[in-house]
Amino acid sequence: MQYGSFDPAKREYVIDRPDTPAPWANYLGSPAYGAIISNNAGGYSFVKSGAAGRIIRYRFNEQDRPGRYVYLRDDESGDYWSASWQPVGKPLDQYKSICRHGTGYTHLEAEYKEVRSEVCYYVPHGADYEVWRVKIINNGKKARKISCFGFVEFTCESFYEQDQVNLQYTQFITRTYFKDQFILQTINENCLNAVNESRVDTRFFAVAGASVASYCGDKAKFLGNYRDYGNPVSVENGKLDGTLNYNLNPCGALHTAFNLEGGKSAEFVFLLGQKKEAVARELVTRYKDASIVEREIDELKKYWHAKLDNLKVSTPDDNFNNMINTWNSYQCFITFAWSRAASLIYCGQRNGYGYRDTVQDIQGIIHLDPDAALDKIKFMISGQVSHGGALPLVKYSHNPGHEDKPEDQSYRSGTGHPTYRADDALWLFPTVWKYVAETGNVALLDEVIPYADSGEDTLFNHLKKAIDFSLNHLGIHGLPAGLHADWNDCLRLGASGVSVFVAMQLYYAFEIMIRFAKHRKDAATEAQMTQLKTRFGKIIEERCWDMDRFVRGITESDVVVGKPGDPEASVWLNPQSWSVISGFADEARGKAVLDLVHKELNTKYGARLMAPPYRRHAFDGALALLFNPGTKENGAIFLQTQGWLVLAEALLGRGGRALEYYLESCPSAQNGIAETRLLEPYVYSQFTESIDSPFEGRSHVHWLTGTASTVMVGCVEGILGLRPDIDGLRLSPAVPASWKSFTMEKVFRGCKLNIKVDNPEGHESGCKKLTVNGTAAEGNYIPASMLKAENEVVLEM
Ligand code: GLC
């Protein structure tokens, strides 16, 4: 079943059936003010942090309620509905609606009994409040009397958890006031400063450009007892009763009424934010003139589209184009901004950046916004502890040079992270490499950046310290210990058990250090890293290979995990794909292990993380056993790993396989099976249930997932073959034989490249000829020095 489609020209996803199988969401705003909104206007907003800055309530895991509701009422008949299909939920044969999720805005159009409404929700660029632009149009001939009610359910206080669970306190610290055009909510209003954990805050919900006919600041009065958002008594009555809350639950509800002649319309805005009364007043004045809204929405589009324009592709596959040009890219920016904090699944409690998550997220946007990537790289480097390990969670309040760390009880209790993970700091290598290669900014390596706890060092030395950390944490057979986890949160291999995934990461890290050292003419480091690479290569060969596959790890009691013949978990995806990515496996071995993956792990929705899932034969540290078979780390199609598989196949030049894997798990390619997939067909989720589940194909944990960046890298570096290095750009597309030609527009170090790839003979990879502005280039490499402001590049495969 299909509920919508892509509008690539506008970079929108257009939902034309509102009864989607799950709330299909969008993100508005910036790290200063975040807002999540579903196609039915469900969702919530927060200032800076979903955990500590929550403004709107949302009931997770329920019916997508409440949200930013606009109710409409025919004052002659008393009939009422909402500008989003839910919460009132009129019959769909009478109520027509379209939701356009765009870059930084969501636009809802509806028509019911000849009244059309258009509500556009957005956070102005750089602002920390939100705007709901409302337009009501009488599409009939006869005059109509229409009431409109804006409603928002405030949290009692900004700390999400307190608001939810500490009712004996939070219900009694807040009240609302009516101030001409807005409801003002105060929290701890008698205090001048924060007291204990609580903070003094004021929020407002306003209408601008229309006058207030009635108001209400008390949720219970707005809804009425034993009623719901779908049938609020005050909307039914056509009037808000003027009750302001003093204790219990606050809300902002404002009513405005119009007589609309046939064909006429009314336009005004609702505004919401955490602002003092005087600022709220100023905003109401500013938004009286509705023309500001069009300008702001335009500005948002320009801002986002300019970023996304840094790579535009036109390939024979529209699913690929939809994702790479807009939605996968946009999702990468969202994970980059909000990590794993706030979605309709994550309730915001993770109050910081997971180290591995964010360092990987950066990779998804380097080619689109290298400056933003640079800031975040420096920030994450400052989350590395002076002994080289990385803080598992870098708090939003991170104060480099002064942070506590997993050795400290305060860090453990404050973050819930008991100790170091084996992989965290090793993600820095590919991320820093990709940034330096994209920009040529090698000077970054000499930049001095503080450590999280104390001291400072050049970025290059930070990287060396990351290697030291791994070398200081070796387990049996001299391989890197698995510690509390490697990439896989469900593998506790401990201080002496070892992780093959980390061994491959480390091997790759040596390679990247060799490239940097060569460029710096640092012969000592080059020799040291080369020697380490050889040493570890030998151990990997001896200990991590079994018959036809790379194993997954070795436990503290020397039991090999993931070997042929094991009754469960005998094949694991990551060590095979990473053997290629890390450069450890040569071409023949790489192809062989990926063939094994195709045979043993692939399904119609992608390759499983491992198989068979754990049921009876898990070792003590195999926490995946906790999950139902075919779910999450217990043998689901863990979508993040599909990106690595796509990349690995592409690195081997097998473009057909790369695209096959890509399409199996591509959201856009699942647009027609929404009832199976459930989640948004325009964003990646964390995992898809695999063949061991009775619900094969169902996907979970939308938006905030490492899938966005790994698939992006798999496509950009892998399938499209855009592989920059310090001195230029290598073009190595790996595409299916059926792609006879495609084009890419890429901005590279300030130069524009119009790239045309011709593949008349239907190859999957390779380069017969490359010309840059008519001049033949050597091999498939474009030295940066060859580039002008605008360049015509033609590659024949
Ligand atoms: C989740 C976590 C990520 C982890 C992965 C595998 O996606 O956010 O940090 O690497 O699971 O366990």
Side-chain angles (χ1 to χ4, degrees):
M1 204 112 70
Q2 186 166 325
Y3 293 77
S5 54
F6 290 84
D7 182 341
K10 292 194 170 139
R11 297 186 188 275
E12 289 173 341
Y13 186 83
V14 187
I15 300 165
D16 50 20
R17 275 191 62 165
D19 55 339
T20 48
W24 285 3
N26 195 14
Y27 278 78
L28 319 174
S30 72
Y33 186 97
I36 302 167
I37 183 164
S38 76
N39 55 313
N40 276 305
Y44 60 94
S45 304
F46 50 92
V47 177
K48 293 192 182 124
S49 152
R54 184 68 64 91
I55 300 184
I56 305 185
R57 278 219 181 111
Y58 185 74
R59 264 171 276 291
F60 287 87
N61 205 19
E62 273 298 325
Q63 302 288 331
D64 186 29
R65 286 169 191 204
R68 302 170 181 84
Y69 293 145
V70 174
Y71 297 90
L72 298 166
R73 181 177 187 273
D74 181 325
D75 287 335
E76 280 157 340
S77 68
D79 192 9
Y80 63 91
W81 62 99
S82 40
S84 41
W85 176 55
Q86 292 294 323
V88 177
K90 284 293 185 188
L92 287 174
D93 56 348
Q94 296 169 41
Y95 182 97
K96 296 292 162 218
S97 77
I98 283 186
C99 165
R100 292 178 166 271
H101 281 317
T103 47
Y105 64 92
T106 284
H107 186 86
L108 297 178
E109 300 166 14
E111 177 139 356
Y112 178 72
K113 297 202 172 152
E114 298 195 316
V115 177
R116 181 180 162 80
S117 56
E118 297 176 6
V119 183
C120 190
Y121 297 92
Y122 68 97
V123 176
H125 182 58
D128 55 358
Y129 58 87
E130 66 190 72
V131 181
W132 317 352
R133 195 281 317 268
V134 182
K135 203 166 169 186
I136 302 164
I137 304 136
N138 177 357
N139 262 350
K141 293 211 168 62
K142 90 175 188 15
R144 303 283 290 269
K145 286 185 193 310
I146 302 292
S147 275
C148 175
F149 303 85
F151 168 78
V152 63
E153 181 173 336
F154 292 122
T155 51
C156 285
E157 79 135 276
S158 299
F159 289 91
Y160 164 69
E161 197 174 358
Q162 288 291 304
D163 177 62
Q164 291 291 304
V165 303
N166 197 5
L167 300 182
Q168 62 79 27
Y169 169 73
T170 50
Q171 291 205 324
F172 311 107
I173 60 174
T174 180
R175 63 188 295 188
T176 49
Y177 295 88
F178 177 63
K179 304 276 178 180
D180 306 328
Q181 291 291 121
F182 56 96
I183 296 285
L184 187 78
Q185 180 203 10
T186 63
I187 299 166
N188 301 131
E189 69 171 29
N190 305 325
C191 307
L192 293 178
N193 298 305
V195 177
N196 295 330
E197 293 278 282
S198 209
R199 278 193 326 231
V200 184
D201 283 321
T202 56
R203 287 90 168 259
F204 77 102
F205 178 65
V207 65
S211 54
V212 176
S214 64
Y215 61 85
C216 177
D218 182 273
K219 178 196 158 191
K221 283 290 179 199
F222 175 79
L223 291 181
N225 285 343
Y226 302 103
R227 287 186 175 240
D228 191 7
Y229 307 96
N231 60 352
V233 71
S234 37
V235 175
E236 192 174 293
N237 292 340
K239 197 161 172 49
L240 305 175
D241 78 350
T243 306
L244 294 164
N245 93 302
Y246 184 95
N247 303 332
L248 301 180
N249 295 299
C251 77
L254 295 169
H255 167 209
T256 175
F258 305 91
N259 290 328
L260 285 181
E261 296 297 326
K264 292 284 181 229
S265 62
E267 197 174 332
F268 53 94
V269 304
F270 289 113
L271 299 163
L272 167 70
Q274 183 157 291
K275 295 279 174 203
K276 298 234 180 315
E277 183 178 341
V279 181
R281 267 186 213 290
E282 274 169 39
L283 288 170
V284 170
T285 310
R286 184 161 1 131
Y287 282 86
K288 258 189 200 153
D289 173 4
S291 67
I292 181 176
V293 168
E294 291 314 319
R295 280 204 308 279
E296 286 183 341
I297 296 174
D298 236 42
E299 194 186 346
L300 265 180
K301 289 183 187 166
K302 282 203 183 103
Y303 168 80
W304 278 111
H305 296 189
K307 278 184 198 286
L308 303 182
D309 276 348
N310 286 329
L311 177 68
K312 278 203 278 193
V313 302
S314 173
T315 75
D317 193 297
D318 282 340
N319 292 315
F320 188 89
N321 300 341
N322 289 334
M323 296 306 295
I324 297 303
N325 288 337
T326 301
W327 286 100
N328 191 357
S329 304
Y330 187 60
Q331 185 178 4
C332 283
F333 280 106
I334 298 303
T335 58
F336 178 81
W338 279 296
S339 186
R340 306 296 174 270
S343 70
L344 299 187
I345 291 290
Y346 285 111
C347 57
Q349 287 299 83
R350 212 192 277 189
N351 209 6
Y353 299 97
Y355 205 88
R356 72 157 84 94
D357 294 337
T358 293
V359 176
Q360 290 171 79
D361 292 343
I362 295 170
Q363 294 181 16
I365 63 135
I366 287 174
H367 63 296
L368 298 173
D369 191 348
D371 292 344
L374 176 61
D375 288 345
K376 205 53 137 317
I377 287 173
K378 292 192 206 166
F379 177 80
M380 293 310 289
I381 290 270
S382 79
Q384 190 189 17
V385 177
S386 50
H387 56 46
L391 295 175
L393 189 90
V394 183
K395 296 173 216 154
Y396 289 142
S397 60
H398 184 58
N399 184 9
H402 307 279
E403 282 296 334
D404 50 4
K405 48 187 193 294
E407 286 85 344
D408 306 316
Q409 171 58 27
S410 54
Y411 182 86
R412 299 198 292 270
S413 57
T415 64
H417 285 278
T419 178
Y420 291 94
R421 300 182 299 203
D423 65 320
D424 277 330
L426 294 176
W427 291 105
L428 292 169
F429 293 88
T431 301
V432 171
W433 167 255
K434 285 176 207 303
Y435 169 79
V436 170
E438 182 69 34
T439 57
N441 177 11
V442 277
L444 172 64
L445 298 174
D446 294 313
E447 214 164 301
V448 174
I449 297 173
Y451 285 102
D453 50 344
S454 62
E456 58 179 27
D457 221 330
T458 63
L459 190 139
F460 192 60
N461 286 338
H462 273 267
L463 294 179
K464 285 185 175 171
K465 280 279 182 76
I467 286 179
D468 287 348
F469 181 84
S470 291
L471 297 180
N472 290 331
H473 291 85
L474 297 179
I476 52 178
H477 312 302
L479 283 162
L483 305 182
H484 190 64
D486 57 19
W487 166 83
N488 189 323
D489 276 329
C490 295
L491 281 179
R492 299 262 179 287
L493 289 158
S496 64
V498 296
S499 160
V500 176
F501 187 92
V502 177
M504 306 258 181
Q505 274 192 298
L506 188 60
Y507 187 84
Y508 191 27
F510 296 141
E511 165 58 27
I512 288 167
M513 286 303 275
I514 292 169
R515 291 179 205 163
F516 284 145
K518 271 197 179 123
H519 183 84
R520 299 163 69 82
K521 305 200 168 39
D522 175 349
T525 304
E526 189 188 336
Q528 184 202 7
M529 294 297 149
T530 309
Q531 187 256 326
L532 282 166
K533 195 175 157 196
T534 313
R535 176 179 132 199
F536 277 86
K538 256 181 89 188
I539 314 179
I540 294 173
E541 188 62 52
E542 277 162 17
R543 298 285 176 179
C544 307
W545 175 254
D546 195 334
M547 210 155 83
D548 58 353
R549 69 200 62 184
F550 290 99
V551 302
R552 184 60 178 83
I554 305 174
T555 67
E556 300 205 306
S557 43
D558 211 3
V559 174
V560 174
V561 179
K563 59 182 181 308
D566 281 351
E568 291 171 358
S570 59
V571 200
W572 292 71
L573 172 57
N574 289 339
Q576 323 310 328
S577 56
W578 270 79
S579 73
V580 176
I581 293 170
S582 65
F584 179 78
D586 62 15
E587 191 180 330
R589 180 113 68 118
K591 285 183 175 163
V593 292
L594 293 193
D595 285 346
L596 180 81
V597 164
H598 197 258
K599 182 161 155 268
E600 300 288 334
L601 297 177
N602 195 29
T603 73
K604 63 178 168 177
Y605 300 116
R608 289 173 286 168
L609 185 64
M610 54 81 151
Y614 284 123
R615 290 183 169 92
R616 297 274 167 273
H617 300 275
F619 70 97
D620 279 351
L623 300 189
L625 182 67
L626 296 167
F627 298 120
N628 290 325
T631 305
K632 287 188 66 106
E633 283 89 343
N634 199 13
I637 297 142
F638 213 98
L639 292 160
Q640 191 184 358
T641 65
Q642 308 305 298
W644 295 328
L645 184 54
V646 168
L647 177 63
E649 286 287 5
L651 290 173
L652 292 172
R654 300 202 294 193
R657 275 275 172 83
L659 197 79
E660 176 188 337
Y661 285 126
Y662 175 77
L663 290 177
E664 282 169 358
S665 59
C666 173
S668 166
Q670 297 179 359
N671 197 35
I673 54 159
E675 71 287 6
T676 303
R677 176 185 168 80
L678 300 192
L679 298 187
E680 297 90 338
Y682 46 92
V683 286
Y684 282 98
S685 65
Q686 186 195 75
F687 75 96
T688 299
E689 290 176 57
S690 73
I691 50 174
D692 292 284
S693 154
F695 298 97
E696 184 189 2
R698 189 165 60 178
S699 290
H700 300 273
V701 192
H702 68 166
W703 280 97
L704 301 184
T705 158
T707 314
S709 67
T710 57
V711 175
M712 179 56 83
V713 171
C715 291
V716 173
E717 240 178 78
I719 293 175
L720 298 171
L722 296 165
R723 298 184 198 156
D725 65 16
I726 295 172
D727 300 312
L729 176 65
R730 191 169 299 285
L731 281 185
S732 281
V735 299
S738 60
W739 283 19
K740 293 291 183 301
S741 78
F742 66 98
T743 60
M744 307 182 259
E745 290 171 48
K746 175 175 167 59
V747 176
F748 180 62
R749 303 187 188 178
C751 305
K752 177 83 189 290
L753 275 67
N754 301 315
I755 305 171
K756 182 155 193 302
V757 178
D758 287 322
N759 186 20
E761 292 164 19
H763 295 293
E764 292 201 7
S765 55
C767 166
K768 208 176 264 173
K769 196 171 147 203
L770 173 68
T771 58
V772 182
N773 302 318
T775 309
E778 210 170 299
N780 60 354
Y781 191 73
I782 309 174
S785 56
M786 238 180 141
L787 294 174
K788 305 189 296 194
E790 178 123 14
N791 304 273
E792 300 304 319
V793 178
V794 182
L795 181 135
E796 192 176 321
M797 290 177 70

